């Protein structure tokens, strides 16, 4: 334990015990050392008194633990831990356990609890090996709520998206496309056979960006360039800051339904096309919740009315964009879902002034789709089809708006 105290002193780490039972170890120095998870020494186990999270890591790093509600979650942040091997860690008594990069320099582990629990003790030991242990005990809903409502200490919260006016991007003659590779970091998306949706769609987004940029008349931005978590609201802010003409969110989800095969283009609607589309939209929003993003702040009534008014013009343009993409993908001879254009309440599509679509390149739950997603030649054909659809839509949209 003396080694631990000496290490924290050298690193200028202040250890803070937050009111309400949440535990934080807040860094005041800049540390770049990356600790590695040691799966063999890590587990989430049921005990006689509740649950105990044990994490074996390769070296001490600044960290903190706290509780969040709706759903009940234990959140543990580190600066930072390489979470490779987390999928093999024993996980008892929790509904979900996920970990990954949360933001630059920080990684996060989130355990979704099956019932309200509070932190009974939390600490780091460096006796022989570095171990973090967080013990939880059952609690009443009232006690849990009081602990989970403790505000974040200064410097811990994610910066709020800037209020940026998008303007009219066509005024300066640019055609700006924002590509949004879905998921990332702590939210890997669908996973199968050692492959992650977040990695597959990032690879495609990079290839599509290169192709679009070679066109010479298209400017491209991406909401993420690496395996990092980006909240849904921030993705929209990136689009508005770029004054985007078009926003395309890229995914490759997994569904239990056997018919989930082929590319699908989604546009925003309060009414989902079917139960599968609704489940996908709910899963995407849930990823933000489990990652620890506060979604409790809702738009006020005036803001909602103004946004709905703006969408009355944007929605038809988004529908035509979806139709143009479906036409070009079909023309390229690429497999599409039997209902290629669907609707659902995807939050990432809610920009009031930018035509936005979500493109499911395929479904990782389909063996054939999974093969296609890993095929360089197939991805090249799909990227070319998306480019052709965008160019056709931009030409048609400019003509329509010129008639007004």
């Amino acid at each position: 334990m003396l080694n631990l105290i000496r290490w924290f002193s050298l690193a200028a780490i202040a250890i803070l015990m937050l009111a309400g039972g949440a535990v934080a170890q807040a860094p005041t120095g800049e540390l770049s050392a990356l600790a590695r998870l040691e799966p063999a020494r890590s587990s989430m186990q049921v005990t006689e008194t509740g649950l105990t999270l044990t994490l074996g890591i390769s070296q001490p790093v600044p960290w903190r633990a706290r509780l969040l509600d709706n759903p009940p979650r234990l959140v543990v942040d580190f600066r930072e831990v390489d979470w490779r091997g987390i999928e093999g860690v024993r996980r008892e008594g929790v509904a979900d356990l996920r970990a990954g990069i949360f933001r630059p320099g920080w990684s996060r582990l989130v355990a979704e609890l099956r019932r309200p629990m509070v932190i009974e003790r939390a600490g780091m030991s460096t006796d022989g090996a570095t171990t973090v242990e967080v013990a939880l005990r059952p609690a009443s809903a009232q006690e849990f709520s009081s602990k989970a409502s403790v505000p974040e200490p200064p410097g811990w919260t994610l910066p709020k998206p800037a209020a940026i006016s998008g303007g009219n991007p066509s005024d300066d003659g640019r055609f700006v496309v924002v590509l949004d590779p879905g998921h990332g970091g702590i939210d890997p998306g669908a996973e199968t056979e050692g492959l992650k949706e977040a990695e597959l769609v990032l690879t495609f987004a990079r290839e599509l960006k290169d192709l679009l940029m070679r066109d010479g008349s298209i400017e491209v931005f991406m909401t993420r360039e690496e395996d990092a978590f980006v909240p849904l609201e921030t993705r929209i802010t990136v689009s508005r800051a770029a004054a985007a003409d078009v926003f395309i969110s890229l995914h490759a989800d997994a569904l239990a339904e056997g018919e989930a095969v082929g590319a699908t283009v989604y546009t925003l609607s309060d009414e989902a096309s079917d139960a599968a589309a609704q489940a996908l939209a709910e899963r995407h929003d849930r990823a933000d919740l489990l990652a620890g993003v506060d979604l409790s702040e809702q738009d006020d009534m005036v803001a909602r009315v103004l946004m709905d008014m703006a969408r009355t013009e944007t929605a038809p343009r988004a529908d035509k964009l979806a139709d143009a993409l479906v036409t070009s993908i079909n023309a390229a001879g690429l497999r599409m879902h039997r209902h290629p254009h669907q609707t659902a309440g995807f939050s990432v599509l809610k920009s009031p002034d930018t035509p936005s679509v979500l493109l499911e390149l395929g479904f990782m739950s389909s063996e054939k789709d999974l093969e296609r997603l890993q095929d360089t030649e197939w991805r090249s054909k799909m990227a070319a089809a998306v480019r052709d659809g965008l160019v056709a839509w931009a030409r048609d949209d400019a003509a329509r708006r010129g008639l007004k």
Side-chain angles (χ1 to χ4, degrees):
M1 187 58 69
L2 289 176
N3 290 336
L4 175 62
I5 295 173
R6 185 178 302 110
W7 188 89
F8 276 153
S9 177
L10 291 172
I13 302 300
I15 300 178
L16 304 177
M17 298 298 290
L18 291 182
V23 179
Q25 301 194 9
T28 57
E30 290 296 323
L31 301 178
S32 59
L34 180 69
R36 299 184 311 279
L37 177 73
E38 297 180 354
R41 296 198 300 112
S42 303
S43 66
M44 171 67 87
Q45 291 184 271
V46 175
T47 66
E48 292 183 358
T49 57
L51 289 174
T52 297
L53 171 67
T54 303
L55 296 174
I57 56 178
S58 60
Q59 66 187 56
V61 289
W63 69 289
R64 68 152 191 179
R66 68 162 300 162
L67 300 167
L68 292 175
D69 204 352
N70 297 317
R73 288 156 288 162
L74 168 68
V75 174
V76 190
D77 292 323
F78 292 87
R79 188 180 177 98
E80 67 183 296
V81 169
D82 181 339
W83 293 109
R84 277 177 288 189
I86 187 67
E87 62 278 357
V89 169
R90 182 178 180 181
R91 50 188 70 189
E92 296 179 348
V94 292
D96 190 17
L97 183 70
R98 63 172 63 187
I101 299 169
F102 184 60
R103 58 179 177 182
W106 292 96
S107 59
R108 169 167 286 190
L109 180 142
V110 179
E112 183 182 354
L113 307 174
R114 296 188 185 279
R115 58 165 297 177
M117 306 186 84
V118 294
I119 297 172
E120 187 170 38
R121 65 178 187 280
M124 174 186 284
S125 168
T126 58
D127 294 336
T130 302
T131 304
V132 171
E133 186 174 282
V134 181
L136 302 165
R137 63 170 175 80
S140 67
Q142 183 177 2
E143 182 184 11
F144 176 84
S145 179
S146 69
K147 308 294 187 184
S149 63
V150 174
E152 295 267 22
W156 279 103
T157 55
L158 283 172
K160 289 186 178 298
I164 301 173
S165 175
N168 188 343
S170 57
D171 287 349
D172 59 12
R174 299 179 303 149
F175 181 50
V176 181
V177 176
V178 170
L179 300 178
D180 172 45
H183 308 285
I186 193 174
D187 174 25
E191 297 182 80
T192 183
E193 300 178 15
L195 298 171
K196 298 179 180 180
E197 179 186 359
E199 296 174 353
L200 291 175
V201 296
L202 180 59
T203 296
F204 179 81
R206 288 168 173 163
E207 294 169 351
L208 176 57
K209 177 182 178 180
D210 289 343
L211 180 65
L212 294 176
M213 294 289 282
R214 288 201 297 272
D215 182 272
S217 61
I218 302 175
E219 189 170 1
V220 184
F221 297 90
M222 287 173 57
T223 57
R224 66 180 181 95
E225 299 273 1
E226 58 186 0
D227 184 25
F229 173 78
V230 182
L232 294 174
E233 189 178 2
T234 302
R235 295 173 190 266
I236 296 174
T237 297
V238 170
S239 177
R240 303 199 74 230
D245 288 277
V246 166
F247 176 89
I248 303 179
S249 191
L250 300 166
H251 288 264
D253 280 286
L255 285 177
E257 290 81 356
E259 65 175 355
V261 178
T264 315
V265 184
Y266 291 90
T267 49
L268 178 67
S269 173
D270 291 334
E271 297 293 329
S273 299
D274 54 29
Q278 182 175 343
L280 281 179
E282 291 173 351
R283 185 187 307 168
H284 287 199
D285 281 4
R286 184 174 177 79
D288 257 35
L289 273 174
L290 293 181
V293 176
D294 181 9
L295 300 182
S296 62
E297 292 185 9
Q298 302 295 325
D299 301 318
D300 61 40
M301 182 60 71
V302 173
R304 285 202 301 273
V305 170
L306 291 175
M307 287 191 292
D308 287 343
M309 291 174 62
R311 290 189 186 111
T312 59
E313 178 182 354
T314 305
R317 297 175 65 209
D319 286 337
K320 290 191 176 297
L321 172 59
D323 292 341
L325 291 173
V326 169
T327 298
S328 61
I329 293 172
N330 274 324
L334 300 170
R335 177 67 186 269
M336 294 206 77
H337 191 279
R338 65 187 183 92
H339 299 300
H341 179 187
Q342 300 190 44
T343 61
F346 291 98
S347 290
V348 78
L349 302 182
K350 291 184 178 179
S351 174
D353 51 5
T354 304
S356 305
V357 297
L358 186 147
L359 172 59
E360 288 280 358
L361 298 166
F363 292 88
M364 293 179 66
S365 47
S366 161
E367 183 177 347
K368 291 184 177 179
D369 276 2
L370 189 59
E371 290 177 0
R372 285 188 276 262
L373 289 163
Q374 299 175 80
D375 184 348
T376 303
E377 183 178 352
W378 181 89
R379 293 199 306 269
S380 178
K381 290 180 180 179
M382 178 60 80
V386 173
R387 176 202 58 198
D388 293 345
L390 285 170
V391 171
W393 176 85
R395 188 184 303 117
D396 180 68
D397 188 65
R400 289 176 180 275
R401 299 183 76 179
L403 294 175
K404 293 183 178 180

